[in-house]
Amino acid sequence: MTPSNPPRHLLVIAPQCPDQGLLTGLEETAESLHAILLDEELGGCEPSPPGVHPLLCGPGVGRAEIDQSVRDAADRAGAAEAVLVIAFLGHGTTLGQTPKLAFMASDSHEDVATSVVDVGGLLTLALDVPGVRGVIALVDTCRAGGAVPDLGGLAGGVRQGATSLSLLMSASAVESAHGLAYTRTLVRVLRDGLSGAGMFLSPEDVQEAVDKEAGTSSQLLTLNGLSLDARPWFARNARHRSDGALLGPLGEEDLRLALDPLGAAVPALPVVTSGDLARLRRTLAALDRHPATADQHLAYALRTLDRLATAVRTREFLLSSWPGSLPESERIRRAYVTAAGRPASASDGDELLRDCVESLCLRVPRAKGSPTAPLAAFVAALAVEDGLAAGTPGLTGWARGIGAGVELVDAFSAQARRVAENRLRLVVSLHSALADEWPETLLVWLLDDETLVGREDFRCPPTQAGVEQRLGAVLAWATRQARCTGFRLRRIDIAAPAALLACWRPEEARLGQRLGLHYDIVLRWSDRLNLPAHLGLINEFARNQLYEMRDGPAAPVNWLDRAELSAVQKLVESLGNGCYGGALALRHRPERFQELLEPLLAYAPMVLWPDGTGDLPQASQDSVERNWARLPGEFSAAYRTSWKQEDPAHEHTDLARVRSVWLDEQWLDFCDAFANDSVDGENPR
């Protein structure tokens, strides 16, 4: 079971107390502990907001400041529903015969009760703050065992004991701790990790390892009144290796290419854990400080290691600390298409996540020069599906940890723009046409997602010119309706009989400028709106096909050659027998294409064919497969590029040679509504 992972807030307090003598290395030890607990790969604590100091150490940390800092930290943790990770390092004693710990601040004096810090009391206060998801505390002082909070007071407090505590104390209430050995050893244990301890180190894991290495006899107190789904964890395990490899094929290849030019300067280190990556990074960083090795190969290797570390950190974040529901393969694929603009790898599950994240970190073109923008777009796409906002604490902590705070906000803004632009959909149907004739009426709907905004019929001359001219009035009507919603109309679905689809290019209709310059046009087969009896349950069968395509290849296209297209009856029989799964694409446009298109549309969810006579170039076939995840919308972009006669080597030049009729679940839903909402099938709501 994956441990519950609310945000983690940090406070490290390590005052020097002149009254009891300065502690050698106190500041350095506190800084090391603070750094490792703040490390996203290990301690997992979030950086503090501006103006908040999570590390108080040195000779100027007074009792009042400590008291207020703990109270403020607890209030912030409660507001964020976070775990508070807090450490007290320094001098400690007991006053009189009481076993209660007196923690010594910079202005504390021995035997002056009003000048010392009551650690147990502060922990009691923090544990009773509503919203705090738990407290993990480390006390490394003499008499540390006296830091136990008031358990009776907690039971009768505001939360009535509904709280969680893991308290590590370096010594009992009657013992001394020496030279901060406990904390120094703990830092080493967290940095190196523990073999066989799993992904997370529990307080028990840490206590046992530190006592064994340092020879200490620490105390551990745990309380769990929150009925948590999993045990609290102290830190992530640097030696943990997941069930799959730490690096995928792409990561291993780039790491090898980065390290090979350095030769003997880099020792052979197996990279099987995140700790191995960190150690290798430190090795290279040491080389970087040597003037003789400061070259482009070393700089490239350092960048590669940083990007691999970001990939590993992001994968772990999504698997173990994601504030939403654990993303399944299909969601991962959709988010990758959003971020990368191309299909994901053919892998599944954890391997799919690993491959996608590595690709986004290492290979996807950098958006506006930012190496983390594609990754931020991927995470934002997952977050939007979970209903998470950009300011969700877990998300912001991850983004700050990899230096992508602004990129994440930008990605959420881009998602919001895409959602707004795709909300409205204009459906124009020519299904009233008879045979291969043009219709006398255009049936029109404006939809906001699945909600009907407006419905209208437009009479028109039964010619191509008459239909295209009438589209101007249709758009004027739809634009007026769209303004009332506050959203912009960008997409038009045009449904027509097969005979018209075979020869008509509605995006080229000139209404001043070409219709497709300002709108994404998707062609639909209108017979699915009003199914002839002989077509039976093809809409339901189409749903099954679309469902099966989700688990199929990234580009589920069946390319039909001349021989298959010449044997029409055999092809139709094979389609009826389910021999072809997915889309049908024609490498060649046969002479009697209009007669062939209708049976193809009846059996295939998508049909693609060459724009002109002759064979479809291989480059166009390749472009269809590369851009599959972005179709059919990418066709509109390709047509626009071709009209502007831009770079002939552009990807869109090849894609623009392809025509298509498309089917998706959204169109099937519309067909169902059309059939169910009226006897005439003309007014879906």
Side-chain angles (χ1 to χ4, degrees):
M1 179 178 293
T2 301
S4 176
N5 279 290
R8 290 159 65 91
H9 291 188
L10 177 63
L11 179 61
V12 176
I13 301 171
Q16 291 282 12
C17 179
D19 192 64
Q20 291 205 331
L22 301 184
L23 287 170
T24 303
L26 174 63
E27 289 85 351
E28 292 81 358
T29 302
E31 289 168 359
S32 297
L33 179 65
H34 172 265
I36 207 160
L37 291 175
L38 205 58
D39 188 318
E40 178 68 21
E41 294 180 1
L42 298 175
C45 293
E46 295 188 352
S48 296
V52 174
H53 303 290
L55 173 61
L56 305 176
C57 67
V61 182
R63 183 200 60 78
E65 182 182 5
I66 294 172
D67 184 87
Q68 192 61 50
S69 295
V70 173
R71 292 171 184 268
D72 292 345
D75 287 340
R76 287 192 299 273
E81 295 189 353
V83 169
L84 177 59
V85 182
I86 187 168
F88 295 89
L89 314 179
H91 281 298
T93 187
T94 55
L95 300 179
Q97 300 300 312
T98 177
K100 186 166 63 175
L101 172 67
F103 183 64
M104 307 301 285
S106 296
D107 55 357
S108 297
H109 299 282
E110 192 168 359
D111 295 331
V112 180
T114 56
S115 69
V116 301
V117 177
D118 178 7
V119 173
L122 289 178
L123 292 178
T124 303
L125 288 172
L127 287 163
D128 208 31
V129 172
V132 172
R133 291 289 300 276
V135 173
I136 297 174
L138 166 66
V139 180
D140 188 1
T141 68
C142 292
R143 312 296 191 269
V148 175
D150 180 2
L151 304 183
L154 286 173
V158 174
R159 304 179 69 181
Q160 297 184 331
T163 187
S164 173
L165 169 67
S166 295
L167 174 59
L168 268 172
M169 299 162 283
S170 61
S172 72
V174 296
E175 292 177 333
S176 297
H178 300 284
L180 301 170
Y182 192 84
T183 301
R184 291 193 177 100
T185 305
L186 183 143
V187 169
R188 287 197 300 272
V189 166
L190 298 188
R191 181 180 294 126
D192 295 339
L194 298 176
S195 298
M199 182 182 293
F200 295 89
L201 299 180
S202 69
E204 292 85 356
D205 292 331
V206 174
Q207 180 196 28
E208 181 180 349
V210 174
D211 282 347
K212 181 177 180 180
E213 183 173 336
T216 51
S217 299
S218 64
Q219 309 293 310
L220 174 63
L221 173 66
T222 59
L223 300 173
N224 189 0
L226 286 177
S227 299
L228 297 176
D229 293 334
R231 65 180 186 174
W233 53 278
F234 196 92
R236 294 184 174 93
N237 188 1
R239 288 196 190 180
H240 172 72
R241 180 175 182 174
S242 61
D243 293 337
L246 181 74
L247 303 181
L250 184 60
E252 290 182 349
E253 178 185 6
D254 276 26
L255 181 60
R256 177 179 56 78
L257 292 174
L259 297 182
D260 280 353
L262 300 179
V266 180
L269 291 175
V271 178
V272 295
T273 71
S274 57
D276 295 332
L277 271 181
R279 283 189 287 275
L280 183 55
R281 178 64 170 79
R282 289 194 294 271
T283 299
L284 293 186
L287 293 176
D288 190 36
R289 290 192 290 270
H290 195 287
T293 59
D295 58 22
Q296 60 179 358
H297 294 305
L298 183 55
Y300 174 73
L302 287 167
R303 284 197 304 272
T304 300
L305 279 171
D306 288 341
R307 289 169 183 171
L308 286 173
T310 295
V312 171
R313 176 181 296 183
T314 301
R315 177 186 169 198
E316 182 182 319
F317 166 63
L318 291 170
L319 288 175
S320 63
S321 303
W322 182 244
S325 59
L326 188 66
E328 70 276 8
S329 295
E330 186 59 31
R331 287 181 58 204
I332 293 170
R333 294 183 194 282
R334 288 197 298 269
Y336 182 81
V337 169
T338 298
R342 60 194 188 202
S345 73
S347 52
D348 288 299
D350 188 36
E351 289 185 359
L352 171 65
L353 178 61
R354 180 196 63 199
D355 294 345
C356 287
V357 170
E358 285 185 357
S359 175
L360 292 165
C361 288
L362 298 169
R363 297 293 174 85
V364 172
R366 308 297 182 223
K368 299 181 181 178
S370 170
T372 54
L375 194 60
F378 175 74
V379 171
L382 291 174
V384 168
E385 286 204 31
D386 267 338
L388 303 177
T392 302
L395 284 175
T396 55
W398 165 81
R400 286 196 298 266
I402 67 167
V406 174
E407 286 85 348
L408 183 65
V409 174
D410 290 345
F412 268 92
S413 297
Q415 284 278 347
R417 287 195 300 273
R418 278 192 289 270
V419 169
E421 289 182 352
N422 290 319
R423 283 187 56 149
L424 296 184
R425 179 167 53 112
L426 178 64
V427 178
V428 180
S429 178
L430 285 66
H431 75 273
S432 63
L434 299 176
D436 59 352
E437 301 295 328
W438 292 88
E440 296 182 350
T441 303
L442 301 178
L443 282 68
V444 179
W445 298 262
L446 182 65
L447 301 171
D448 182 353
D449 288 332
E450 301 305 320
T451 302
L452 182 66
V453 175
R455 165 77 176 85
E456 193 63 73
D457 293 346
F458 290 83
R459 300 285 295 178
C460 61
T463 63
Q464 178 177 339
V467 167
E468 292 182 354
Q469 183 181 25
R470 197 61 173 145
L471 286 176
V474 170
L475 281 170
W477 169 84
T479 301
R480 290 194 298 272
Q481 302 290 324
R483 288 197 185 104
C484 297
T485 70
F487 296 101
R488 181 185 175 195
L489 175 63
R490 286 278 299 165
R491 176 176 155 188
I492 304 175
D493 288 358
I494 295 183
L500 298 182
L501 293 172
C503 61
W504 187 34
R505 297 176 175 82
E507 70 278 357
E508 295 184 0
R510 288 193 175 272
L511 306 174
Q513 290 182 311
R514 282 174 167 162
L515 179 63
L517 276 176
H518 304 287
Y519 301 94
D520 289 342
I521 312 296
V522 180
L523 297 185
R524 311 289 195 177
W525 184 37
S526 61
D527 281 29
R528 290 191 182 273
L529 288 172
N530 203 359
L531 284 173
H534 73 278
L535 292 179
L537 298 174
I538 64 167
N539 280 0
E540 290 307 309
F541 295 155
R543 285 190 187 276
N544 294 335
Q545 287 177 290
L546 292 173
Y547 182 80
E548 291 170 359
M549 287 169 66
R550 294 178 183 176
D551 298 324
V557 186
N558 298 288
W559 291 98
L560 304 180
D561 56 27
R562 286 175 181 263
E564 291 170 293
L565 295 172
S566 62
V568 176
Q569 192 59 40
K570 182 180 179 181
L571 175 59
V572 171
E573 184 177 347
S574 296
L575 288 168
N577 292 334
C579 296
Y580 294 88
L584 296 177
L586 283 60
R587 289 192 172 97
H588 171 78
R589 179 174 176 142
E591 291 183 4
R592 303 178 68 178
F593 175 59
Q594 293 185 11
E595 298 177 12
L596 177 63
L597 183 56
E598 182 167 338
L600 296 184
L601 290 171
Y603 291 109
M606 304 94 176
V607 178
L608 302 87
W609 65 92
D611 185 43
T613 59
D615 293 337
L616 186 67
Q618 184 62 47
S620 295
Q621 299 176 41
D622 295 342
S623 184
V624 166
E625 298 198 1
R626 279 195 303 270
N627 287 281
W628 184 260
R630 303 173 71 177
L631 300 180
E634 198 67 14
F635 282 128
S636 293
Y639 299 151
R640 284 191 282 268
T641 301
S642 67
W643 296 332
K644 296 174 184 178
Q645 297 182 341
E646 295 181 351
D647 182 6
H650 195 285
E651 168 87 7
H652 282 167
T653 303
D654 298 318
L655 195 60
R657 297 189 179 99
V658 182
R659 304 290 301 163
S660 70
V661 176
W662 216 260
L663 175 65
D664 50 37
E665 291 185 9
Q666 189 179 46
W667 181 248
L668 286 174
D669 290 342
F670 181 80
C671 294
D672 287 347
F674 184 95
N676 295 335
D677 279 3
S678 74
V679 174
D680 297 329
E682 293 184 0
N683 190 24
R685 292 181 291 275

